[in-house]
Amino acid sequence: MQVKKAVIPAAGLGTRFLPITKSVPKELLPILDRPMLQYVVEEAAEAGVEEVIVVTARGKESIAAYFQPRPELEKRLTETGATDLLDSIQHASTLADVSFVIQEQPLGLGHAVLTAREAVGDEPFVVILPDDIIDHQPGVISQMLEVSDQYNGGVIAVEQVPWEVIHNYGVVDADDRGNRTHFVRGLVEKPAKEDAPSNLSIVGRYILPPDIFDCLEQTPPGARGEIQLTDGIQLLLEEQDVYAYEFQGTRYDGGTPVGLLRASLEYGLAREDTRESVSALITGLSRKLADY
Ligand code: G1P
């Protein structure tokens, strides 16, 4: 399936990350030196996505600023010969054509995706939640596009999680088809452990047909009183097949301070330019552990 567009919902209040999110959008919080948002735009671009539609809210204008040129800074970096830094600030805007739509009210993830309807038009697209950071080559969207091609249906990324935390997630009721792939029979958003149909939790990557928009139009508020994408996909099942795919890669929960710290440490170990200092940092800290 040729998928050219990605929707990245970034309109949330970031309550799990207050107080910093009072003035800094969660999506711009860094893993090392780059915002989370950049990692997911890179993942989309790697999968062939050419156009990224970011759904933001009023007060989060700095997200758009990140993708705009900074002529004065660029001039200065050119003059001082700081070519690496110059490349790094220009890189984000070369990845894809990034545009923005505003979600006027925080009515939920499903509503945020619906806000992008006009920008997406009548073609399949991907949804990427920028606080689910997943480290793998090839990226999760690339992996999912293969599944979508093979089964000719929508695809949702899932992973098995301990039953004790299942109430934090969307959960699928699914039939194993082998090769990490499951046929989705139903979905439920943030069920109590007793009501969860499985421990396969939804992770923030979706490949969806444009028909999802009609479904979202008809989706009533669900968990937390919000219009949930999970509930919209449940309606979609009446007309289209959807598959759940257990992706390859490590997921970091960039929506919480410790999850983001973990991501920074692991990316710091993986990156050549930071490996030595990050491993020295971890070794030093582990020696100090007994003092706490
Ligand atoms: C959202 C989705 C949920 C999914 C989760 C993954 O929930 O609604 O289905 O499991 O992302 O991160 P949120 O984390 O916004 O509450």
Side-chain angles (χ1 to χ4, degrees):
M1 195 195 284
Q2 198 68 344
V3 175
K4 295 285 172 213
K5 293 183 181 176
V7 173
I8 301 186
L13 300 170
T15 40
R16 288 184 301 162
F17 236 123
L18 282 168
I20 179 68
T21 43
K22 205 176 148 205
S23 61
V24 180
K26 177 177 70 178
E27 298 74 17
L28 293 185
L29 294 177
I31 294 172
L32 296 175
D33 50 5
R34 289 179 291 161
M36 278 194 272
L37 188 56
Q38 184 163 333
Y39 290 82
V40 294
V41 173
E42 277 172 8
E43 183 185 324
E46 180 235 30
V49 166
E50 292 169 0
E51 201 179 324
V52 170
I53 300 136
V54 181
V55 182
T56 58
R58 301 215 177 269
K60 296 183 92 173
E61 289 73 21
S62 51
I63 293 182
Y66 185 74
F67 291 93
Q68 275 147 19
R70 283 281 304 274
E72 280 306 309
L73 180 58
E74 288 169 27
K75 187 165 163 259
R76 174 144 190 135
L77 294 173
T78 310
E79 281 164 8
T80 55
T83 44
D84 283 0
L85 289 180
L86 185 63
D87 287 350
S88 79
I89 67 161
Q90 290 172 335
H91 182 59
S93 45
T94 62
L95 290 168
D97 180 6
V98 183
S99 62
F100 299 86
V101 294
I102 302 271
Q103 185 189 22
E104 294 289 352
Q105 287 175 288
L107 298 181
L109 177 60
H111 180 263
V113 172
L114 185 55
T115 309
R117 179 174 201 158
E118 211 177 303
V120 171
D122 194 24
E123 55 186 282
F125 64 105
V126 304
V127 175
I128 311 182
L129 306 189
D131 54 6
D132 278 334
I133 298 293
I134 305 166
D135 187 20
H136 196 271
Q137 285 299 324
V140 178
I141 295 294
S142 291
Q143 298 173 36
M144 290 167 72
L145 284 171
E146 278 191 26
V147 176
S148 178
D149 276 347
Q150 189 183 347
Y151 288 91
N152 196 22
V155 183
I156 308 170
V158 293
E159 72 175 348
Q160 297 199 30
V161 296
W163 286 92
E164 287 62 42
V165 299
I166 201 76
H167 60 279
N168 294 318
Y169 297 99
V171 180
V172 296
D173 175 16
D175 180 24
D176 193 348
R177 294 286 162 93
N179 278 338
R180 299 174 166 268
T181 307
H182 308 253
F183 177 77
V184 176
R185 285 189 292 250
L187 314 89
V188 48
E189 182 67 17
K190 299 194 172 59
K193 182 177 158 190
E194 307 74 57
D195 304 326
S198 75
N199 69 337
L200 282 176
S201 75
I202 299 174
V203 173
R205 304 287 186 276
Y206 312 76
I207 298 176
L208 296 169
D211 316 66
I212 188 66
F213 293 121
D214 280 342
C215 300
L216 288 170
E217 294 271 12
Q218 293 159 34
T219 302
R224 297 181 180 163
E226 296 176 348
I227 296 169
Q228 296 291 348
L229 181 56
T230 302
D231 297 341
I233 299 172
Q234 173 70 40
L235 289 181
L236 181 70
L237 292 183
E238 288 170 20
E239 38 192 277
Q240 301 224 3
D241 289 349
V242 174
Y243 293 83
Y245 171 68
E246 288 186 71
F247 59 87
Q248 301 181 59
T250 306
R251 168 191 180 246
Y252 302 100
D253 182 2
T256 64
V258 174
L260 193 63
L261 178 62
R262 181 179 161 220
S264 276
L265 290 173
E266 294 215 20
Y267 275 86
L269 285 176
R271 239 168 75 168
E272 248 174 57
D273 61 331
T274 48
R275 183 172 303 139
E276 211 175 303
S277 50
V278 172
S279 76
L281 170 77
I282 294 170
T283 311
L285 284 176
S286 65
R287 284 203 200 100
K288 280 177 74 179
L289 266 184
D291 301 341
Y292 285 96

